[in-house]
Amino acid sequence: MELKGRPGVVNLLTAAVLLFGSVAFLIFALYPTSANIEYGSRQKKTFNAPRQNVWSELTEDEAADVNAFIIKEASHLNLTVHPKSAQDNFIFIVETLKPNKTDTAPYLYEDDAPKPERWAKAAVSQNFEDGPYMVYYQVGPLPITKDSQVLPLNYMFNSGRNYVRNPMYDFGAIQDFALSMAENVSDITQELLGATANREDPTDPRGLLAFPRGSRVETGGMILWMQFYRPGMGSGARTLLPQGIYAKVDATNSDINQWTVGEYYYNGVLYENEHEFRAALDDPAFKRTPANIDGSWTDTEDFGDYADRDLPPPVSIQPYGPRYKLDRKEGFVSWFGFEFYITTAQSTGVSLFDIRFKGERVVYELGLQEAMAHYAGDDPMQGGLEFMDSFFGMGKNMFELVPGYDCPAYADYLDSEWHQAYKTHNMPNSVCVFEFTADHLLSRHTAQYSVTASRNTFLTVRSVSTVGNYDYTIEYVFYMDGTLEVKVRASGFIFAAFYTANSTKSEDEYGHRIHDALSSSMHDHVLNFKADMDVAGPKNDMVRLAIEPITKNFPWDQPEQPKRNTMHLVEYPVVEETGMDWPKNSGEFYIIYSNESNAWGERKGYRITPGTGMGSTPHLTILNSTTLGDSARWAEHDIWVLKQKDTEPRSADPLNYFAPHDPIIDFTKMADHESLEYGAPDTSYDGDLVVYFNLGAHHVPHSGDIPNTLMHTSSSSIMLVPHNFADRDPSRQSVQGVRLQLSGRKAGGFAGEWFAGDESKSLARHNHNNGDLRVRGEKKEAGTKAKYFGATYEKGVKVPVEAFEPDLSGYVSHSDDVGGLNFTGFGRGEALGG
């Protein structure tokens, strides 16, 4: 069988803003009546997706079948179901192998086309002579039958291999090594930090922990720098509690018993070994720096009584129930012309597929690829620190959302699942879907005789991934005009640096002093997303529509004005795969065009542009990062445009974290300047393109980031905005709003009306069933009249207290569900397979 790709067949009920009361009460909109409607009474009718969600995550039964089949069929792998040591071979992850687009498109867009075959992807921890590796396999077709196979998964990796060596496979042993190292210098830590490690209780709030920052070396293995931390168990604030002692560990040997501790670093001085460090303590010239002590300053809550918050804030409600339609089984949503499928993955979290608007294709796939944080500093930890959070699991760490806080109380909450080490993990209520009315309008206009206002109601799909110290809120937002927004907000604890009292330290070069012995640490967040664009179909091209100054003469200007300084539009086609940055002064529009046209002969398009976050979205500041190597070259520009290929489904892979200088997916081999000229000779480009874009922030934490970073100052987004996609603004058919006809005999009329005739007859034609427009008499000036488009509230609604403040006693999760957050102190140990 030739593997080309992979085996297989190739409503308006606006959310009212009200103050929460201590008991349920009545809300009246427009005209109070004695008849009240039960809150949320709109019946959720049975709704079915038009097709099966072929991208959905494996069910628990499917995962169990895949595990059993691999063990039976691939007996040569010598897999064990109950691994007891790092030397055991075992199945680490199983998940859905997303079907190829070329296999899926016929099923979605053609009548009677078959479903694409369903396959699984497995990551297996295997031991070879030179140590443990993570190896990818594909398993299918599913369900398991006599025709199913276990095959190496090769086609999506441009490195030519489906495996990566695991240099930190036994994190438990690494923790034990760190404890032994700390015990060996307990006299030093006691004198300088006032604490020692506690092997019997590593979480002792009076004790110390040590954690590594690893760097791959070309000769194999790793060099680790260990830094001491206080546990911070009360608030989980250990990344605010670094201590000023660092130890260098030679971990180039795969046998941890051969690892050795070498240099120590303290207060800007490097010591050759612990003996030299210990001896230096007795030197009268030895400079000490204060320890970083935990306290109430790290608490994320202040439960004090303050007069300014003696009343609860306004909240949003949804009196009649949802207006969108949701098929929970298939993860399919329909809302005011938008339709799409939701799916999740353990490494990347939520993705959306087959996004359509008003029946036309817009985006085939939209989802996170990687979330990177890269630090800088003058100490051995911050100086080389970086995280690639798909490795630690943006989906695995999508924990339960808090109703009424993370999302409105009335939202629909969806579960997600992931499968690791033969167990299925259910993440309850980890994705929410809801409609929300903004505090600003979608459109408005005050004319001489009238005022028109349209409410801005949008749909959101939201999740929160807490990977160690950071909480990433990721949302996909849909607007009534066809605009899509992808937005990221960050909160949580910063990964801070120890503040030294060394007079030679360069102040504020890498951050600011933010507590007694704590400094902030500058870093870049770059989160990479994929948008497989299908604007009005699969045949697309991209242009840079530039706004440029020009000096030009016009015949109607002559002879008074020989030349006029003005501006005009210039279109530059993007003819090859490339990376681009957002233009200076927003002087270019990046537009993906279809070969289809609207009624006015203009090509249908979608523009990609920075959205509602804080300024333009960033790319990585560091050039040719020493730490990242070739593992995240997608971070070097704001946006990339590439040819769509089944063999290039992702810009990154979680295992790139293990091999940054020889990644399993090298993005430079994807963005290799292939032609994007549709129909040009000597090119295989068929018009199907993919855009990769980055969200994030250049984060320079300050005192306001203590204890937690605030979301409104750390948000970033892009928007996909219709550009000549429709013949006119399509939101006119969906929005709810009002036109106020101002008083006066010459107050004008509604659209299409001519008020020069009999005013009473003209007004009578607009008599509204709500009684809003009434003829008061032919000779009397009419008062201000209101005519509504879209439904309005006409009866009172009895609202239960839970609609304002949900009963959180039903919160499903318990501490064991988020135990991974405490496993390493940074929430990242379990991903190492240890």
Side-chain angles (χ1 to χ4, degrees):
M1 178 183 298
E2 180 182 0
L3 294 182
K4 181 182 179 181
R6 55 187 287 282
V9 179
V10 178
N11 344 256
L12 177 98
L13 306 176
T14 307
V17 178
L18 302 163
L19 281 178
F20 159 77
S22 59
V23 294
F25 57 91
L26 300 181
I27 299 171
F28 297 98
L30 299 181
Y31 303 105
T33 70
S34 58
N36 297 316
I37 298 173
E38 182 183 353
Y39 180 80
S41 61
R42 176 176 172 134
Q43 296 298 313
K44 296 182 181 180
K45 298 180 181 179
T46 300
F47 173 70
N48 295 316
R51 288 172 176 80
Q52 184 177 331
N53 186 338
V54 296
W55 311 273
S56 64
E57 183 52 281
L58 299 179
T59 66
E60 183 172 3
D61 288 342
E62 285 180 316
D65 289 345
V66 168
N67 282 325
F69 183 72
I70 296 174
I71 292 171
K72 176 183 176 182
E73 187 72 11
S75 57
H76 63 282
L77 298 180
N78 297 316
L79 299 172
T80 179
V81 178
H82 303 289
K84 296 179 180 179
S85 73
Q87 281 67 47
D88 290 333
N89 294 347
F90 64 98
I91 303 171
F92 185 52
I93 290 286
V94 293
E95 61 183 351
T96 298
L97 178 60
K98 300 296 190 291
N100 291 333
K101 184 178 183 180
T102 54
D103 294 337
T104 308
Y107 173 66
L108 296 176
Y109 310 123
E110 299 175 10
D111 294 333
D112 302 321
K115 283 190 308 182
E117 289 184 340
R118 188 163 170 81
W119 285 70
K121 175 182 178 182
V124 176
S125 179
Q126 286 182 249
N127 279 272
F128 295 91
E129 289 184 3
D130 57 343
Y133 284 74
M134 297 296 289
V135 187
Y136 282 126
Y137 294 91
Q138 56 189 49
V139 184
L142 304 180
I144 298 297
T145 67
K146 62 181 179 60
D147 297 322
S148 299
Q149 306 173 73
V150 179
L151 300 170
L153 178 57
N154 292 310
Y155 74 87
M156 60 174 58
F157 305 119
N158 58 23
S159 61
R161 66 185 197 280
N162 66 327
Y163 54 84
V164 172
R165 186 179 177 186
N166 186 348
M168 298 182 70
Y169 57 92
D170 193 345
F171 204 84
I174 296 173
Q175 286 185 303
D176 186 70
F177 181 92
L179 281 170
S180 297
M181 177 200 72
E183 288 171 337
N184 289 338
V185 293
S186 59
D187 56 325
I188 298 176
T189 63
Q190 182 64 51
E191 181 167 344
L192 296 178
L193 307 178
T196 61
N198 185 346
R199 181 178 291 275
E200 299 302 320
D201 182 11
T203 62
D204 179 0
R206 297 175 298 277
L208 292 174
L209 300 170
F211 297 107
R213 188 271 295 169
S215 293
R216 290 298 303 268
V217 294
E218 298 297 332
T219 55
M222 304 188 77
I223 294 296
L224 307 179
W225 272 101
M226 295 276 189
Q227 183 173 11
F228 288 83
Y229 286 79
R230 279 184 158 79
M233 292 303 294
S235 60
R238 66 194 64 185
T239 57
L240 292 184
L241 297 169
Q243 306 302 306
I245 299 177
Y246 311 79
K248 186 176 183 179
V249 177
D250 184 341
T252 53
N253 196 303
S254 61
D255 183 358
I256 199 169
N257 295 313
Q258 303 302 314
W259 290 7
T260 58
V261 181
E263 297 168 322
Y264 278 78
Y265 182 85
Y266 176 80
N267 202 14
V269 179
L270 192 64
Y271 300 96
E272 186 174 346
N273 51 51
E274 68 177 88
H275 307 296
E276 184 177 309
F277 187 17
R278 186 176 286 111
L281 297 179
D282 297 327
D283 189 334
F286 182 80
K287 293 182 179 181
R288 300 166 186 262
T289 190
N292 185 16
I293 307 299
D294 198 0
S296 60
W297 65 278
T298 67
D299 291 345
T300 55
E301 314 84 11
D302 187 337
F303 291 104
D305 293 327
Y306 299 98
D308 289 345
R309 61 180 187 186
D310 59 356
L311 286 176
V315 297
S316 181
I317 64 169
Q318 182 176 265
Y320 293 171
R323 302 191 302 167
Y324 55 84
K325 299 174 184 177
L326 171 64
D327 182 340
R328 286 178 169 271
K329 180 177 181 294
E330 299 298 341
F332 182 78
V333 179
S334 177
W335 177 81
F336 286 100
F338 271 113
E339 294 180 331
F340 55 89
Y341 291 87
I342 303 172
T343 189
T344 61
Q346 60 87 22
S347 62
T348 55
V350 174
S351 291
L352 307 182
F353 283 87
D354 191 20
I355 303 174
R356 308 189 198 193
F357 183 64
K358 302 291 186 180
E360 291 202 82
R361 295 160 64 173
V362 178
V363 183
Y364 172 78
E365 178 185 357
L366 181 61
L368 179 70
Q369 303 292 291
E370 185 58 272
M372 179 264 287
H374 200 314
Y375 291 72
D378 57 3
D379 68 58
M381 177 63 77
Q382 299 291 334
L385 189 65
E386 55 86 13
F387 295 112
M388 306 279 274
D389 283 338
S390 76
F391 173 74
F392 306 109
M394 293 291 284
K396 290 199 304 185
N397 291 288
M398 285 190 338
F399 298 109
E400 184 174 7
L401 300 166
V402 182
Y405 292 84
D406 281 316
C407 311
Y410 58 78
D412 274 295
Y413 292 85
L414 309 176
D415 299 347
S416 60
E417 288 185 337
W418 51 279
H419 318 283
Q420 179 175 305
Y422 310 105
K423 294 180 181 179
T424 291
H425 302 262
N426 181 270
M427 311 304 286
N429 306 322
S430 54
V431 181
C432 68
V433 181
F434 62 91
E435 194 178 11
F436 196 83
T437 297
D439 61 352
H440 60 280
L441 295 174
L442 185 64
S443 65
R444 76 171 320 281
H445 181 62
T446 299
Q448 183 176 1
Y449 303 123
S450 62
V451 179
T452 302
S454 300
R455 282 177 168 148
N456 182 13
T457 304
F458 50 84
L459 184 79
T460 298
V461 178
R462 178 180 291 165
S463 64
V464 178
S465 297
T466 303
V467 188
N469 55 305
Y470 265 114
D471 298 63
Y472 295 101
T473 297
I474 299 176
E475 59 189 35
Y476 302 92
V477 186
F478 300 83
Y479 297 90
M480 288 185 170
D481 68 328
T483 293
L484 293 82
E485 182 174 18
V486 184
K487 193 163 191 173
V488 175
R489 298 179 176 92
S491 188
F493 293 105
I494 64 172
F495 205 122
F498 182 76
Y499 180 85
T500 66
N502 191 331
S503 60
T504 63
K505 178 180 175 67
S506 178
E507 296 293 337
D508 291 344
E509 183 178 2
Y510 298 101
H512 307 296
R513 186 179 183 181
I514 51 178
H515 204 257
D516 296 336
L518 192 69
S519 173
S520 69
S521 182
M522 66 181 297
H523 55 282
D524 281 354
H525 292 281
V526 188
L527 292 85
N528 187 243
F529 288 79
K530 176 183 180 180
D532 185 337
M533 304 299 297
D534 277 1
V535 178
K539 289 180 169 41
N540 295 167
D541 61 273
M542 188 175 192
V543 302
R544 295 163 36 228
L545 182 63
I547 304 169
E548 296 184 352
I550 190 174
T551 300
K552 195 170 183 177
N553 60 69
F554 296 95
W556 43 263
D557 252 341
Q558 309 306 317
E560 296 82 8
Q561 189 67 50
K563 293 182 180 180
R564 180 170 294 276
N565 295 326
T566 184
M567 58 185 174
H568 68 159
L569 298 176
V570 182
E571 191 172 283
Y572 298 100
V574 178
V575 299
E576 66 177 19
E577 295 181 327
T578 190
M580 299 178 291
D581 296 330
W582 299 117
K584 180 181 178 181
N585 193 34
S586 302
E588 291 185 357
F589 288 11
Y590 297 159
I591 304 174
I592 293 88
Y593 275 128
S594 170
N595 61 351
E596 300 290 331
S597 300
N598 65 11
W600 320 119
E602 298 288 347
R603 291 206 294 160
K604 296 183 176 185
Y606 260 78
R607 174 190 175 193
I608 182 167
T609 179
T612 61
M614 291 189 64
S616 296
T617 63
H619 57 267
L620 184 63
T621 303
I622 301 169
L623 301 176
N624 196 27
S625 167
T626 303
T627 304
L628 289 175
D630 292 324
S631 63
R633 295 293 183 180
W634 44 264
E636 295 178 346
H637 288 288
D638 296 329
I639 182 173
W640 302 79
V641 56
L642 276 67
K643 176 181 176 181
Q644 192 282 330
K645 296 179 182 178
D646 285 348
T647 55
E648 296 177 349
R650 289 196 56 187
S651 62
D653 186 84
L655 294 187
N656 278 7
Y657 194 64
F658 278 159
H661 300 285
D662 186 20
I664 193 169
I665 293 179
D666 184 343
F667 188 73
T668 63
K669 296 179 181 178
M670 297 172 58
D672 57 357
H673 303 286
E674 285 192 59
S675 174
L676 295 179
E677 292 188 90
Y678 177 66
D682 302 322
T683 178
S684 61
Y685 180 58
D686 60 2
D688 197 356
L689 60 77
V690 173
V691 170
Y692 289 96
F693 60 87
N694 292 321
L695 301 182
H698 301 304
H699 194 183
V700 181
H702 56 91
S703 58
D705 285 272
I706 302 300
N708 280 172
T709 293
L710 304 180
M711 289 190 182
H712 71 291
T713 64
S714 60
S715 62
S716 173
S717 86
I718 66 96
M719 282 181 162
L720 297 171
V721 183
H723 192 89
N724 290 324
F725 189 76
D727 299 336
R728 67 191 297 265
D729 172 18
S731 74
R732 298 302 87 201
Q733 303 168 3
S734 305
V735 295
Q736 189 272 348
V738 63
R739 173 165 173 153
L740 297 178
Q741 201 65 38
L742 305 183
S743 60
R745 295 188 60 84
K746 296 183 179 181
F750 293 100
E753 285 292 340
W754 182 258
F755 262 62
D758 186 337
E759 182 176 343
S760 63
K761 292 181 180 179
S762 183
L763 282 174
R765 284 197 295 270
H766 287 288
N767 189 29
H768 192 257
N769 58 10
N770 286 341
D772 299 317
L773 293 176
R774 301 184 184 278
V775 179
R776 302 299 184 185
E778 294 183 9
K779 295 182 180 181
K780 294 182 179 179
E781 287 192 357
T784 298
K785 309 300 180 184
K787 184 172 183 179
Y788 297 87
F789 41 96
T792 60
Y793 291 101
E794 300 175 23
K795 298 181 179 180
V797 181
K798 187 174 182 179
V799 183
V801 68
E802 291 79 15
F804 300 102
E805 199 69 64
D807 180 4
L808 298 179
S809 64
Y811 195 71
V812 178
S813 299
H814 50 83
S815 60
D816 290 344
D817 295 326
V818 293
L821 293 176
N822 293 327
F823 186 71
T824 70
F826 307 117
R828 295 179 166 97
E830 190 174 347
L832 297 170

